[in-house]
Amino acid sequence: MILKTIEWKDNSVIMIDQTKLPTNLEFVTYTDYNQVAEAIRTLVVRGAPAIGVSGAFGLALAALQSDATEKDHLIQDLETAKKILFETRPTAVNLAWGLDKIMKVAKDAKSVDEIRVSVVETAKQMAESDIQTNMAMGKNGSKLFNDNDTIMTHCNAGALATVGYGTALGVIRATKDSGKNIKVIATETRPVQQGSRLTAFELKHDGIDVTLIPDTAVGYTLANGLVNKIIVGADRILLTGHVYNKIGTYQIAILAKQHGIPFYVAAPLSTFDLVSKPEDVIIEQRKPSEVTSIGDKKTAPDGISVINPAFDMTPPELISGIITEKGIAKIPFKESIQKLFDSN
Ligand code: MRU
């Protein structure tokens, strides 16, 4: 079964509340774009492609909420909503991609009625095509994996990080569906446990053999030959092949290099930022309480200073290939990434 993370139904947005997983599978329904913004900010919905589509649905709600009767007024209301949605999470480029796509459709429409219909339709199409994109990516990536491979993954780049099927976990699903016998090792992914709460949950749900490790056991598992290949998702990929992904990805890539283990990234073209340089990318810093407690339990002294970046950057020389829906980019990334876009 494909878990649908986000859905548009009866002029409202329905999402799985990912903060409640794995103990409760609960759905929330939103009719106000401010609720969607808050859901992105608080990780009710997370994962780069999922927040891209959430942003688009947020703008669709804003178009329905607005009482504007003139096009200029409605565009102004959408710009206000876009700003609020955009500022929720700065690193994943899919959010800007989703918002810009909807704003373009709105600006191209002729009347307020046409804007309302077209933004809702476009956001729904974006959600549908997310699943198709992930399946195409899965098929492309599955060729890189062999029968009896044990594959490590970090964070959650699965159905729950997208509308459905997943990016890195989509490749894992497609590899299994191609008849290969595979096992997965998932890192718990401190501090908010997307690996143990979400990846372990969805792979177990789909009957894929998954073993959980603490983040600190990555070196041990690679040094002891327990892993053949690694695959992760991405929140932003530059034309140079610099990959921004969940904190901890960089140290896994370094360890992979040390142990000669291929390190792959899977991401749709909507995760690429062909314009920015590494120094332009903002790394989101999250609240200290994610580090000073586990769930409700405090695990650090009061007043301790904390550094809690949500993402890190893995340089291109550590990456064996970037799997997309259009093909696989390899070093030199600049040329091969550009080729994927030219073929699009
Ligand atoms: O903070 P999150 O949970 O939004 O971080 C998610 C990740 O880093 C994922 O690995 C990334 O978005 C790829 S998801 C297909």
Side-chain angles (χ1 to χ4, degrees), residues 26-78:
E26 286 179 19
F27 293 83
V28 282
T29 303
Y30 300 132
T31 50
D32 183 329
Y33 75 85
N34 289 293
Q35 294 172 307
V36 174
E38 187 59 10
I40 298 172
R41 213 176 281 123
T42 56
L43 308 183
V44 166
V45 63
R46 32 65 54 200
I51 62 177
V53 173
S54 300
F57 278 157
L59 278 186
L61 287 180
L64 300 184
Q65 280 172 259
S66 165
D67 58 8
T69 50
E70 301 293 330
K71 180 178 170 180
D72 285 356
H73 180 184
L74 183 48
I75 295 293
Q76 223 170 47
D77 285 349
L78 288 177

Side-chain angles (χ1 to χ4, degrees), residues 3 6 112 247 317:
L3 284 171
I6 331 156
V112 285
I247 192 75
E317 62 274 17

Side-chain angles (χ1 to χ4, degrees), residues 279-320:
E279 56 272 26
D280 303 327
V281 179
I282 298 169
I283 299 283
E284 176 184 353
Q285 304 291 324
R286 294 195 67 86
K287 50 185 190 196
S289 60
E290 290 180 353
V291 182
T292 55
S293 48
I294 298 178
D296 292 338
K297 192 168 166 30
K298 265 176 68 174
T299 55
D302 284 338
I304 192 78
S305 41
V306 167
I307 299 173
N308 186 20
F311 304 101
D312 59 25
M313 186 270 281
T314 300
E317 62 274 17
L318 300 180
I319 298 166
S320 313

Side-chain angles (χ1 to χ4, degrees), residues 71 75 101-111 114-115 118:
K71 180 178 170 180
I75 295 293
K101 211 163 163 167
I102 295 295
M103 286 309 296
K104 183 176 182 327
V105 165
K107 284 177 184 164
D108 287 349
K110 288 186 183 61
S111 65
E114 199 184 314
I115 293 177
S118 57

Side-chain angles (χ1 to χ4, degrees), residues 213-225:
I213 59 163
D215 299 328
T216 40
V218 171
Y220 173 93
T221 48
L222 301 193
N224 284 283

Side-chain angles (χ1 to χ4, degrees), residues 72-179:
D72 285 356
H73 180 184
L74 183 48
I75 295 293
Q76 223 170 47
D77 285 349
L78 288 177
E79 292 287 7
T80 304
K82 179 187 166 184
K83 188 167 183 299
I84 289 170
L85 289 159
F86 177 74
E87 284 170 357
T88 52
R89 297 200 72 190
T91 308
V93 78
N94 307 59
L95 181 56
W97 168 86
L99 295 171
D100 286 343
K101 211 163 163 167
I102 295 295
M103 286 309 296
K104 183 176 182 327
V105 165
K107 284 177 184 164
D108 287 349
K110 288 186 183 61
S111 65
V112 285
D113 290 340
E114 199 184 314
I115 293 177
R116 290 193 174 100
V117 170
S118 57
V119 296
V120 169
E121 276 318 303
T122 307
K124 281 162 73 178
Q125 277 162 22
M126 285 163 81
E128 265 319 300
S129 69
D130 173 87
I131 299 177
Q132 305 312 322
T133 297
N134 293 337
M135 287 182 145
M137 194 186 314
K139 208 167 167 204
N140 289 338
S142 64
K143 296 171 195 133
L144 298 167
F145 295 86
N146 300 323
D147 202 24
N148 296 321
D149 269 352
T150 298
I151 306 163
M152 177 179 281
T153 190
H154 183 58
C155 192
N156 173 265
L160 289 162
T162 61
V163 178
Y165 204 67
T167 57
L169 297 192
V171 173
I172 286 171
R173 287 190 166 92
T175 304
K176 185 176 182 249
D177 291 347
S178 72

Side-chain angles (χ1 to χ4, degrees), residues 170-218:
V171 173
I172 286 171
R173 287 190 166 92
T175 304
K176 185 176 182 249
D177 291 347
S178 72
K180 290 172 199 159
N181 178 31
I182 46 155
K183 289 185 173 149
V184 176
I185 290 187
T187 58
E188 60 175 345
T189 320
R190 272 287 286 154
V192 289
Q193 312 290 128
Q194 293 96 329
S196 58
R197 291 190 306 107
L198 309 177
T199 294
F201 168 80
E202 64 168 270
L203 292 182
K204 191 164 178 277
H205 174 276
D206 280 11
I208 296 176
D209 186 327
V210 55
T211 299
L212 193 61
I213 59 163
D215 299 328
T216 40
V218 171

